[in-house]
Amino acid sequence: MTPHRRQRRLAAQKGVARVGRTSTGPARQRGAATRAHPRQRLVVADVGATKCLFAVAEVVGRDVRLRNRRQIPTCEVPSPNALLAEALAGAAPAPTVASLAVPGPVVAGACRTTNLPWFLDANDLARRAGLDTVVLVNDLAAAGRGLPATPPDRLVVLHGEQVRADRTLALLGLGSGLGQAVVVPEGTGHRVLASEGGHADFAPQGALQRALAAELEATLGHVSVERVLSGPGLVRIYDFLVSSGMPAAPEVAAAAAHRRPELISELALARTQVTCEQALDIFVRILGAEAGNLALRALAHGGVVVMGGIAPRLLEKLADGGVVAAFLAKGRMRTLLERIPLAISTDADAPLRGAALLALEEGAFAGD
């Protein structure tokens, strides 16, 4: 295998793609390259199905400072090329490197996003934007790489002791989809293992969840956990309850599709609509169960952290004990889970920090 092909394979295995300059190769050499360039500047973006975050990142060692942070609705971005143009807008002087955290698997420098009708190719994006290097990284991998620098006051611990970044961490990214990743300590830093675990099978608990799974299977075929544990998933749970005879909420029926998950949550938290309340009850118990599943699969002794835009809006509900009860309900493994923290991150900047660090660690500035 040629060195170039070996580098491409390594990048694909890590969930990161870079184009432009030649990679520096092993991790020690990448660390040396970072030390040789004490301050680097690049554009970073966190791309979601409903919103996109942009910033200019200035990196010194492992310290990332974000400037010109902006947010726009994804519906205002018609294409990946427009996304990169938006990210570069106002970043004067224009950086020569961009790192994009994208919602889907990155393979050989490209990503077909799961919940957006986009295909991103790092080579094409760099050429069209006139950049030296574009890095594509899975969004949860970016969030995981940025998590160790999350301030303690941005982590709401629901169960157990404090989250420990010196031990294995597991991440759930709860938004328009369901991302999963594992973060393991490595030397003086961390390695992120990207995953598409949100597309693994939904494991219903109890008669009501089994009936929900059966109804979804009849219409969707395969029922992944993302189909019920995401913004659209909350709507599917609500629709299932309505179809089972519970009263519909006129506000939800009249709302635009993108507003329905938030509206169901609002009505449930206000305790003004019984179907929304039950839908949210089911939703948080599925969340707790899946968090427990991931804790067992990863042996996440450092903790399981729920990230994304949904969980911070549900803190009142998540604190009522239901999610923790479902997290611990693993039979013979309950004692193990009692020692694993479960927390909610309110740090929206973690994916931006992580995208910047992953770009540097992949040698994006190696030719400078």
Side-chain angles (χ1 to χ4, degrees):
M1 183 183 297
T2 67
H4 178 67
R5 290 178 62 194
R6 188 178 298 114
Q7 291 157 8
R8 287 175 61 87
R9 176 171 292 184
L10 178 63
Q13 289 172 346
K14 290 186 177 181
V16 177
R18 64 171 302 278
V19 297
R21 304 185 178 112
T22 303
S23 171
T24 54
R28 288 189 181 88
Q29 295 177 16
R30 290 199 299 270
T34 301
R35 289 193 297 273
H37 304 282
R39 183 179 297 275
Q40 303 291 3
R41 186 170 177 271
L42 68 160
V43 165
V44 291
D46 177 24
V47 183
T50 58
K51 67 180 183 296
C52 296
L53 299 178
F54 306 102
V56 175
E58 295 178 354
V59 187
V60 179
R62 292 188 178 88
D63 180 48
V64 181
R65 297 187 179 184
L66 301 174
R67 314 287 190 191
N68 301 338
R69 189 182 182 281
R70 297 179 296 121
Q71 174 179 315
I72 65 171
T74 306
C75 62
E76 296 181 7
V77 183
S79 69
N81 291 316
L83 167 75
L84 192 50
E86 186 68 38
L88 290 166
T96 61
V97 173
S99 184
L100 310 180
V102 293
V106 177
V107 179
C111 175
R112 189 172 298 280
T113 55
T114 307
N115 294 309
L116 286 170
W118 286 0
F119 178 78
L120 297 92
D121 180 89
N123 284 291
D124 181 65
L125 288 168
R127 178 179 58 82
R128 289 175 180 269
L131 297 176
D132 289 343
T133 303
V134 167
V135 177
L136 299 181
V137 59
N138 173 266
D139 54 354
L140 254 289
R145 186 62 187 88
L147 176 62
T150 292
D153 63 357
R154 304 304 297 274
L155 290 171
V156 180
V157 178
L158 301 177
H159 165 73
E161 303 296 330
Q162 66 179 7
V163 171
R164 295 277 301 270
D166 60 340
R167 300 177 180 177
T168 299
L169 296 167
L171 279 65
L172 285 171
L174 187 58
S176 298
L178 178 67
Q180 299 188 3
V182 177
V183 183
V184 294
E186 183 180 62
T188 59
H190 295 81
R191 178 179 292 273
V192 183
L193 307 177
S195 165
E196 288 299 321
H199 299 287
D201 298 343
F202 168 46
Q205 302 295 308
L208 188 59
Q209 289 188 26
R210 286 192 288 272
L212 167 65
E215 180 166 305
L216 292 178
E217 185 177 20
T219 57
L220 299 173
H222 177 246
V223 183
S224 67
V225 66
E226 181 182 89
R227 295 292 198 176
V228 291
L229 193 54
S230 60
L234 177 59
V235 176
R236 291 188 183 97
I237 296 169
Y238 167 86
D239 287 342
F240 159 73
L241 294 174
V242 171
S243 70
S244 301
M246 294 191 69
E251 304 96 320
V252 174
H258 72 278
R259 274 278 296 145
R260 295 184 77 201
E262 185 176 358
L263 190 54
I264 292 169
S265 299
E266 290 173 356
L267 293 172
L269 293 173
R271 299 181 180 179
T272 58
Q273 214 284 330
V274 63
T275 309
C276 294
E277 290 183 61
Q278 185 162 354
L280 192 59
D281 282 341
I282 295 170
F283 183 84
V284 299
R285 288 187 176 274
I286 294 172
L287 171 60
E290 184 62 14
N293 290 340
L294 188 55
L296 293 176
R297 291 179 181 125
L299 282 180
H301 293 292
V304 178
V305 179
V306 182
M307 308 183 80
I310 292 178
R313 298 198 300 266
L314 301 180
L315 288 176
E316 177 187 347
K317 178 64 180 176
L318 296 174
D320 72 2
V323 69
V324 173
F327 176 75
L328 297 174
K330 298 297 183 214
R332 295 170 291 174
M333 291 293 104
R334 181 185 179 95
T335 301
L336 173 62
L337 288 168
E338 286 175 344
R339 299 195 295 268
I340 295 179
L342 175 63
I344 307 300
S345 172
T346 62
D347 179 15
D349 289 339
L352 297 175
R353 288 196 306 270
L357 290 170
L358 287 170
L360 264 69
E361 291 165 1
E362 284 303 305
F365 293 90
D368 287 356

PDB file of all heavy atoms in Angstrom, residues 26-58:
ATOM      1  N   PRO A  26       1.974   9.721  11.836  1.00  0.00           N
ATOM      2  CA  PRO A  26       1.688   9.248  13.189  1.00  0.00           C
ATOM      3  C   PRO A  26       1.341  10.375  14.139  1.00  0.00           C
ATOM      4  O   PRO A  26       1.710  11.534  13.954  1.00  0.00           O
ATOM      5  CB  PRO A  26       2.991   8.542  13.605  1.00  0.00           C
ATOM      6  CG  PRO A  26       3.657   8.188  12.317  1.00  0.00           C
ATOM      7  CD  PRO A  26       3.281   9.284  11.357  1.00  0.00           C
ATOM      8  N   ALA A  27       0.696   9.979  15.240  1.00  0.00           N
ATOM      9  CA  ALA A  27       0.201  10.965  16.202  1.00  0.00           C
ATOM     10  C   ALA A  27       1.328  11.802  16.780  1.00  0.00           C
ATOM     11  O   ALA A  27       1.181  13.001  17.000  1.00  0.00           O
ATOM     12  CB  ALA A  27      -0.558  10.259  17.325  1.00  0.00           C
ATOM     13  N   ARG A  28       2.506  11.202  17.066  1.00  0.00           N
ATOM     14  CA  ARG A  28       3.600  11.984  17.644  1.00  0.00           C
ATOM     15  C   ARG A  28       4.052  13.065  16.674  1.00  0.00           C
ATOM     16  O   ARG A  28       4.377  14.174  17.061  1.00  0.00           O
ATOM     17  CB  ARG A  28       4.758  11.056  17.999  1.00  0.00           C
ATOM     18  CG  ARG A  28       4.484  10.159  19.205  1.00  0.00           C
ATOM     19  CD  ARG A  28       5.748   9.426  19.624  1.00  0.00           C
ATOM     20  NE  ARG A  28       5.481   8.547  20.752  1.00  0.00           N
ATOM     21  CZ  ARG A  28       5.070   7.309  20.633  1.00  0.00           C
ATOM     22  NH1 ARG A  28       4.856   6.794  19.439  1.00  0.00           N
ATOM     23  NH2 ARG A  28       4.861   6.560  21.705  1.00  0.00           N
ATOM     24  N   GLN A  29       4.097  12.742  15.368  1.00  0.00           N
ATOM     25  CA  GLN A  29       4.501  13.732  14.389  1.00  0.00           C
ATOM     26  C   GLN A  29       3.462  14.832  14.275  1.00  0.00           C
ATOM     27  O   GLN A  29       3.804  16.000  14.132  1.00  0.00           O
ATOM     28  CB  GLN A  29       4.725  13.063  13.028  1.00  0.00           C
ATOM     29  CG  GLN A  29       5.874  12.074  13.034  1.00  0.00           C
ATOM     30  CD  GLN A  29       6.034  11.386  11.703  1.00  0.00           C
ATOM     31  OE1 GLN A  29       5.482  11.846  10.695  1.00  0.00           O
ATOM     32  NE2 GLN A  29       6.768  10.296  11.687  1.00  0.00           N
ATOM     33  N   ARG A  30       2.171  14.473  14.371  1.00  0.00           N
ATOM     34  CA  ARG A  30       1.142  15.498  14.316  1.00  0.00           C
ATOM     35  C   ARG A  30       1.279  16.440  15.506  1.00  0.00           C
ATOM     36  O   ARG A  30       1.102  17.646  15.401  1.00  0.00           O
ATOM     37  CB  ARG A  30      -0.250  14.853  14.311  1.00  0.00           C
ATOM     38  CG  ARG A  30      -0.561  14.117  13.017  1.00  0.00           C
ATOM     39  CD  ARG A  30      -2.056  13.918  12.882  1.00  0.00           C
ATOM     40  NE  ARG A  30      -2.603  13.118  13.963  1.00  0.00           N
ATOM     41  CZ  ARG A  30      -2.703  11.790  13.937  1.00  0.00           C
ATOM     42  NH1 ARG A  30      -2.256  11.111  12.897  1.00  0.00           N
ATOM     43  NH2 ARG A  30      -3.246  11.143  14.944  1.00  0.00           N
ATOM     44  N   GLY A  31       1.595  15.865  16.715  1.00  0.00           N
ATOM     45  CA  GLY A  31       1.802  16.711  17.888  1.00  0.00           C
ATOM     46  C   GLY A  31       2.964  17.656  17.697  1.00  0.00           C
ATOM     47  O   GLY A  31       2.910  18.817  18.075  1.00  0.00           O
ATOM     48  N   ALA A  32       4.054  17.144  17.062  1.00  0.00           N
ATOM     49  CA  ALA A  32       5.206  17.991  16.813  1.00  0.00           C
ATOM     50  C   ALA A  32       4.862  19.118  15.861  1.00  0.00           C
ATOM     51  O   ALA A  32       5.295  20.264  16.026  1.00  0.00           O
ATOM     52  CB  ALA A  32       6.354  17.159  16.256  1.00  0.00           C
ATOM     53  N   ALA A  33       4.019  18.801  14.837  1.00  0.00           N
ATOM     54  CA  ALA A  33       3.610  19.841  13.887  1.00  0.00           C
ATOM     55  C   ALA A  33       2.830  20.933  14.593  1.00  0.00           C
ATOM     56  O   ALA A  33       2.996  22.127  14.328  1.00  0.00           O
ATOM     57  CB  ALA A  33       2.783  19.225  12.764  1.00  0.00           C
ATOM     58  N   THR A  34       1.946  20.530  15.548  1.00  0.00           N
ATOM     59  CA  THR A  34       1.161  21.522  16.275  1.00  0.00           C
ATOM     60  C   THR A  34       2.070  22.424  17.100  1.00  0.00           C
ATOM     61  O   THR A  34       1.884  23.633  17.168  1.00  0.00           O
ATOM     62  CB  THR A  34       0.128  20.816  17.178  1.00  0.00           C
ATOM     63  OG1 THR A  34      -0.716  20.024  16.359  1.00  0.00           O
ATOM     64  CG2 THR A  34      -0.704  21.824  17.938  1.00  0.00           C
ATOM     65  N   ARG A  35       3.098  21.815  17.761  1.00  0.00           N
ATOM     66  CA  ARG A  35       4.002  22.629  18.567  1.00  0.00           C
ATOM     67  C   ARG A  35       4.802  23.601  17.703  1.00  0.00           C
ATOM     68  O   ARG A  35       5.175  24.676  18.148  1.00  0.00           O
ATOM     69  CB  ARG A  35       4.942  21.713  19.353  1.00  0.00           C
ATOM     70  CG  ARG A  35       4.249  20.964  20.490  1.00  0.00           C
ATOM     71  CD  ARG A  35       5.271  20.346  21.406  1.00  0.00           C
ATOM     72  NE  ARG A  35       6.078  19.346  20.718  1.00  0.00           N
ATOM     73  CZ  ARG A  35       5.744  18.085  20.602  1.00  0.00           C
ATOM     74  NH1 ARG A  35       4.592  17.653  21.109  1.00  0.00           N
ATOM     75  NH2 ARG A  35       6.517  17.223  19.978  1.00  0.00           N
ATOM     76  N   ALA A  36       5.096  23.180  16.443  1.00  0.00           N
ATOM     77  CA  ALA A  36       5.872  24.043  15.567  1.00  0.00           C
ATOM     78  C   ALA A  36       5.077  25.253  15.096  1.00  0.00           C
ATOM     79  O   ALA A  36       5.646  26.214  14.607  1.00  0.00           O
ATOM     80  CB  ALA A  36       6.373  23.247  14.357  1.00  0.00           C
ATOM     81  N   HIS A  37       3.764  25.206  15.211  1.00  0.00           N
ATOM     82  CA  HIS A  37       2.888  26.301  14.795  1.00  0.00           C
ATOM     83  C   HIS A  37       2.058  26.694  16.011  1.00  0.00           C
ATOM     84  O   HIS A  37       0.954  26.189  16.205  1.00  0.00           O
ATOM     85  CB  HIS A  37       1.991  25.864  13.639  1.00  0.00           C
ATOM     86  CG  HIS A  37       2.770  25.347  12.463  1.00  0.00           C
ATOM     87  ND1 HIS A  37       3.410  26.160  11.573  1.00  0.00           N
ATOM     88  CD2 HIS A  37       3.015  24.086  12.064  1.00  0.00           C
ATOM     89  CE1 HIS A  37       4.013  25.431  10.649  1.00  0.00           C
ATOM     90  NE2 HIS A  37       3.795  24.176  10.926  1.00  0.00           N
ATOM     91  N   PRO A  38       2.556  27.564  16.866  1.00  0.00           N
ATOM     92  CA  PRO A  38       1.912  27.818  18.153  1.00  0.00           C
ATOM     93  C   PRO A  38       0.517  28.418  18.046  1.00  0.00           C
ATOM     94  O   PRO A  38      -0.274  28.279  18.951  1.00  0.00           O
ATOM     95  CB  PRO A  38       2.874  28.785  18.857  1.00  0.00           C
ATOM     96  CG  PRO A  38       3.678  29.399  17.760  1.00  0.00           C
ATOM     97  CD  PRO A  38       3.791  28.349  16.698  1.00  0.00           C
ATOM     98  N   ARG A  39       0.195  29.086  16.958  1.00  0.00           N
ATOM     99  CA  ARG A  39      -1.141  29.647  16.815  1.00  0.00           C
ATOM    100  C   ARG A  39      -1.640  29.371  15.406  1.00  0.00           C
ATOM    101  O   ARG A  39      -0.987  29.730  14.426  1.00  0.00           O
ATOM    102  CB  ARG A  39      -1.143  31.155  17.083  1.00  0.00           C
ATOM    103  CG  ARG A  39      -2.538  31.789  17.007  1.00  0.00           C
ATOM    104  CD  ARG A  39      -2.481  33.274  17.297  1.00  0.00           C
ATOM    105  NE  ARG A  39      -2.027  33.538  18.639  1.00  0.00           N
ATOM    106  CZ  ARG A  39      -2.822  33.551  19.712  1.00  0.00           C
ATOM    107  NH1 ARG A  39      -4.118  33.317  19.583  1.00  0.00           N
ATOM    108  NH2 ARG A  39      -2.330  33.818  20.907  1.00  0.00           N
ATOM    109  N   GLN A  40      -2.792  28.723  15.306  1.00  0.00           N
ATOM    110  CA  GLN A  40      -3.398  28.430  14.009  1.00  0.00           C
ATOM    111  C   GLN A  40      -4.814  29.000  13.980  1.00  0.00           C
ATOM    112  O   GLN A  40      -5.487  29.075  15.014  1.00  0.00           O
ATOM    113  CB  GLN A  40      -3.437  26.924  13.740  1.00  0.00           C
ATOM    114  CG  GLN A  40      -2.081  26.227  13.797  1.00  0.00           C
ATOM    115  CD  GLN A  40      -1.174  26.628  12.648  1.00  0.00           C
ATOM    116  OE1 GLN A  40      -1.520  27.467  11.821  1.00  0.00           O
ATOM    117  NE2 GLN A  40       0.010  26.037  12.600  1.00  0.00           N
ATOM    118  N   ARG A  41      -5.251  29.350  12.788  1.00  0.00           N
ATOM    119  CA  ARG A  41      -6.551  30.006  12.623  1.00  0.00           C
ATOM    120  C   ARG A  41      -7.298  29.302  11.506  1.00  0.00           C
ATOM    121  O   ARG A  41      -6.753  29.088  10.414  1.00  0.00           O
ATOM    122  CB  ARG A  41      -6.338  31.477  12.281  1.00  0.00           C
ATOM    123  CG  ARG A  41      -7.578  32.334  12.220  1.00  0.00           C
ATOM    124  CD  ARG A  41      -7.163  33.805  12.126  1.00  0.00           C
ATOM    125  NE  ARG A  41      -8.300  34.691  11.987  1.00  0.00           N
ATOM    126  CZ  ARG A  41      -8.827  35.032  10.822  1.00  0.00           C
ATOM    127  NH1 ARG A  41      -8.311  34.561   9.684  1.00  0.00           N
ATOM    128  NH2 ARG A  41      -9.874  35.833  10.763  1.00  0.00           N
ATOM    129  N   LEU A  42      -8.546  28.909  11.769  1.00  0.00           N
ATOM    130  CA  LEU A  42      -9.336  28.215  10.765  1.00  0.00           C
ATOM    131  C   LEU A  42     -10.817  28.483  11.000  1.00  0.00           C
ATOM    132  O   LEU A  42     -11.224  28.913  12.084  1.00  0.00           O
ATOM    133  CB  LEU A  42      -9.068  26.715  10.790  1.00  0.00           C
ATOM    134  CG  LEU A  42      -9.545  25.897  12.010  1.00  0.00           C
ATOM    135  CD1 LEU A  42      -9.637  24.418  11.643  1.00  0.00           C
ATOM    136  CD2 LEU A  42      -8.615  26.077  13.205  1.00  0.00           C
ATOM    137  N   VAL A  43     -11.610  28.240   9.969  1.00  0.00           N
ATOM    138  CA  VAL A  43     -13.064  28.339  10.069  1.00  0.00           C
ATOM    139  C   VAL A  43     -13.615  26.984  10.485  1.00  0.00           C
ATOM    140  O   VAL A  43     -13.180  25.940   9.975  1.00  0.00           O
ATOM    141  CB  VAL A  43     -13.678  28.774   8.723  1.00  0.00           C
ATOM    142  CG1 VAL A  43     -15.183  28.533   8.700  1.00  0.00           C
ATOM    143  CG2 VAL A  43     -13.403  30.245   8.478  1.00  0.00           C
ATOM    144  N   VAL A  44     -14.560  26.988  11.412  1.00  0.00           N
ATOM    145  CA  VAL A  44     -15.195  25.752  11.861  1.00  0.00           C
ATOM    146  C   VAL A  44     -16.713  25.904  11.762  1.00  0.00           C
ATOM    147  O   VAL A  44     -17.249  27.015  11.870  1.00  0.00           O
ATOM    148  CB  VAL A  44     -14.791  25.389  13.299  1.00  0.00           C
ATOM    149  CG1 VAL A  44     -13.329  24.971  13.354  1.00  0.00           C
ATOM    150  CG2 VAL A  44     -15.049  26.540  14.267  1.00  0.00           C
ATOM    151  N   ALA A  45     -17.394  24.772  11.552  1.00  0.00           N
ATOM    152  CA  ALA A  45     -18.860  24.775  11.470  1.00  0.00           C
ATOM    153  C   ALA A  45     -19.399  23.501  12.084  1.00  0.00           C
ATOM    154  O   ALA A  45     -18.779  22.436  11.974  1.00  0.00           O
ATOM    155  CB  ALA A  45     -19.321  24.905  10.019  1.00  0.00           C
ATOM    156  N   ASP A  46     -20.534  23.622  12.727  1.00  0.00           N
ATOM    157  CA  ASP A  46     -21.293  22.478  13.246  1.00  0.00           C
ATOM    158  C   ASP A  46     -22.614  22.458  12.498  1.00  0.00           C
ATOM    159  O   ASP A  46     -23.462  23.334  12.689  1.00  0.00           O
ATOM    160  CB  ASP A  46     -21.506  22.624  14.751  1.00  0.00           C
ATOM    161  CG  ASP A  46     -22.355  21.497  15.329  1.00  0.00           C
ATOM    162  OD1 ASP A  46     -22.407  20.412  14.721  1.00  0.00           O
ATOM    163  OD2 ASP A  46     -22.963  21.705  16.400  1.00  0.00           O
ATOM    164  N   VAL A  47     -22.779  21.471  11.621  1.00  0.00           N
ATOM    165  CA  VAL A  47     -23.919  21.423  10.705  1.00  0.00           C
ATOM    166  C   VAL A  47     -24.988  20.502  11.278  1.00  0.00           C
ATOM    167  O   VAL A  47     -24.749  19.312  11.502  1.00  0.00           O
ATOM    168  CB  VAL A  47     -23.482  20.914   9.318  1.00  0.00           C
ATOM    169  CG1 VAL A  47     -24.662  20.941   8.349  1.00  0.00           C
ATOM    170  CG2 VAL A  47     -22.322  21.739   8.787  1.00  0.00           C
ATOM    171  N   GLY A  48     -26.168  21.044  11.519  1.00  0.00           N
ATOM    172  CA  GLY A  48     -27.293  20.241  11.975  1.00  0.00           C
ATOM    173  C   GLY A  48     -28.442  20.305  10.997  1.00  0.00           C
ATOM    174  O   GLY A  48     -28.440  21.119  10.065  1.00  0.00           O
ATOM    175  N   ALA A  49     -29.429  19.468  11.200  1.00  0.00           N
ATOM    176  CA  ALA A  49     -30.565  19.452  10.297  1.00  0.00           C
ATOM    177  C   ALA A  49     -31.435  20.697  10.442  1.00  0.00           C
ATOM    178  O   ALA A  49     -32.136  21.077   9.507  1.00  0.00           O
ATOM    179  CB  ALA A  49     -31.415  18.202  10.526  1.00  0.00           C
ATOM    180  N   THR A  50     -31.381  21.347  11.612  1.00  0.00           N
ATOM    181  CA  THR A  50     -32.211  22.529  11.825  1.00  0.00           C
ATOM    182  C   THR A  50     -31.415  23.824  11.916  1.00  0.00           C
ATOM    183  O   THR A  50     -31.926  24.885  11.574  1.00  0.00           O
ATOM    184  CB  THR A  50     -33.058  22.386  13.107  1.00  0.00           C
ATOM    185  OG1 THR A  50     -32.180  22.181  14.222  1.00  0.00           O
ATOM    186  CG2 THR A  50     -34.010  21.208  12.981  1.00  0.00           C
ATOM    187  N   LYS A  51     -30.158  23.749  12.378  1.00  0.00           N
ATOM    188  CA  LYS A  51     -29.353  24.972  12.486  1.00  0.00           C
ATOM    189  C   LYS A  51     -27.889  24.662  12.226  1.00  0.00           C
ATOM    190  O   LYS A  51     -27.437  23.527  12.389  1.00  0.00           O
ATOM    191  CB  LYS A  51     -29.524  25.623  13.865  1.00  0.00           C
ATOM    192  CG  LYS A  51     -28.967  24.810  15.017  1.00  0.00           C
ATOM    193  CD  LYS A  51     -29.178  25.546  16.331  1.00  0.00           C
ATOM    194  CE  LYS A  51     -28.569  24.814  17.520  1.00  0.00           C
ATOM    195  NZ  LYS A  51     -29.190  23.507  17.767  1.00  0.00           N
ATOM    196  N   CYS A  52     -27.160  25.703  11.819  1.00  0.00           N
ATOM    197  CA  CYS A  52     -25.723  25.610  11.603  1.00  0.00           C
ATOM    198  C   CYS A  52     -25.029  26.657  12.468  1.00  0.00           C
ATOM    199  O   CYS A  52     -25.466  27.813  12.520  1.00  0.00           O
ATOM    200  CB  CYS A  52     -25.358  25.856  10.137  1.00  0.00           C
ATOM    201  SG  CYS A  52     -25.994  24.630   8.979  1.00  0.00           S
ATOM    202  N   LEU A  53     -23.958  26.246  13.130  1.00  0.00           N
ATOM    203  CA  LEU A  53     -23.132  27.160  13.914  1.00  0.00           C
ATOM    204  C   LEU A  53     -21.809  27.364  13.186  1.00  0.00           C
ATOM    205  O   LEU A  53     -21.225  26.400  12.675  1.00  0.00           O
ATOM    206  CB  LEU A  53     -22.867  26.598  15.310  1.00  0.00           C
ATOM    207  CG  LEU A  53     -24.074  26.335  16.205  1.00  0.00           C
ATOM    208  CD1 LEU A  53     -23.628  25.734  17.532  1.00  0.00           C
ATOM    209  CD2 LEU A  53     -24.846  27.624  16.449  1.00  0.00           C
ATOM    210  N   PHE A  54     -21.327  28.599  13.169  1.00  0.00           N
ATOM    211  CA  PHE A  54     -20.063  28.938  12.520  1.00  0.00           C
ATOM    212  C   PHE A  54     -19.201  29.727  13.499  1.00  0.00           C
ATOM    213  O   PHE A  54     -19.707  30.450  14.363  1.00  0.00           O
ATOM    214  CB  PHE A  54     -20.292  29.805  11.279  1.00  0.00           C
ATOM    215  CG  PHE A  54     -21.254  29.237  10.281  1.00  0.00           C
ATOM    216  CD1 PHE A  54     -22.556  29.703  10.202  1.00  0.00           C
ATOM    217  CD2 PHE A  54     -20.859  28.242   9.405  1.00  0.00           C
ATOM    218  CE1 PHE A  54     -23.457  29.197   9.283  1.00  0.00           C
ATOM    219  CE2 PHE A  54     -21.738  27.722   8.477  1.00  0.00           C
ATOM    220  CZ  PHE A  54     -23.043  28.197   8.409  1.00  0.00           C
ATOM    221  N   ALA A  55     -17.890  29.623  13.322  1.00  0.00           N
ATOM    222  CA  ALA A  55     -16.977  30.444  14.106  1.00  0.00           C
ATOM    223  C   ALA A  55     -15.607  30.428  13.444  1.00  0.00           C
ATOM    224  O   ALA A  55     -15.310  29.572  12.602  1.00  0.00           O
ATOM    225  CB  ALA A  55     -16.867  29.929  15.543  1.00  0.00           C
ATOM    226  N   VAL A  56     -14.794  31.375  13.825  1.00  0.00           N
ATOM    227  CA  VAL A  56     -13.371  31.344  13.502  1.00  0.00           C
ATOM    228  C   VAL A  56     -12.660  30.847  14.755  1.00  0.00           C
ATOM    229  O   VAL A  56     -12.839  31.417  15.845  1.00  0.00           O
ATOM    230  CB  VAL A  56     -12.845  32.729  13.098  1.00  0.00           C
ATOM    231  CG1 VAL A  56     -11.329  32.686  12.883  1.00  0.00           C
ATOM    232  CG2 VAL A  56     -13.547  33.205  11.837  1.00  0.00           C
ATOM    233  N   ALA A  57     -11.889  29.772  14.609  1.00  0.00           N
ATOM    234  CA  ALA A  57     -11.190  29.182  15.745  1.00  0.00           C
ATOM    235  C   ALA A  57      -9.718  29.569  15.713  1.00  0.00           C
ATOM    236  O   ALA A  57      -9.069  29.475  14.672  1.00  0.00           O
ATOM    237  CB  ALA A  57     -11.329  27.661  15.721  1.00  0.00           C
ATOM    238  N   GLU A  58      -9.226  29.998  16.861  1.00  0.00           N
ATOM    239  CA  GLU A  58      -7.799  30.244  17.040  1.00  0.00           C
ATOM    240  C   GLU A  58      -7.293  29.212  18.039  1.00  0.00           C
ATOM    241  O   GLU A  58      -7.806  29.115  19.157  1.00  0.00           O
ATOM    242  CB  GLU A  58      -7.551  31.661  17.554  1.00  0.00           C
ATOM    243  CG  GLU A  58      -7.971  32.732  16.558  1.00  0.00           C
ATOM    244  CD  GLU A  58      -7.759  34.138  17.096  1.00  0.00           C
ATOM    245  OE1 GLU A  58      -7.392  34.260  18.286  1.00  0.00           O
ATOM    246  OE2 GLU A  58      -7.970  35.092  16.329  1.00  0.00           O
TER     247      GLU A  58
END
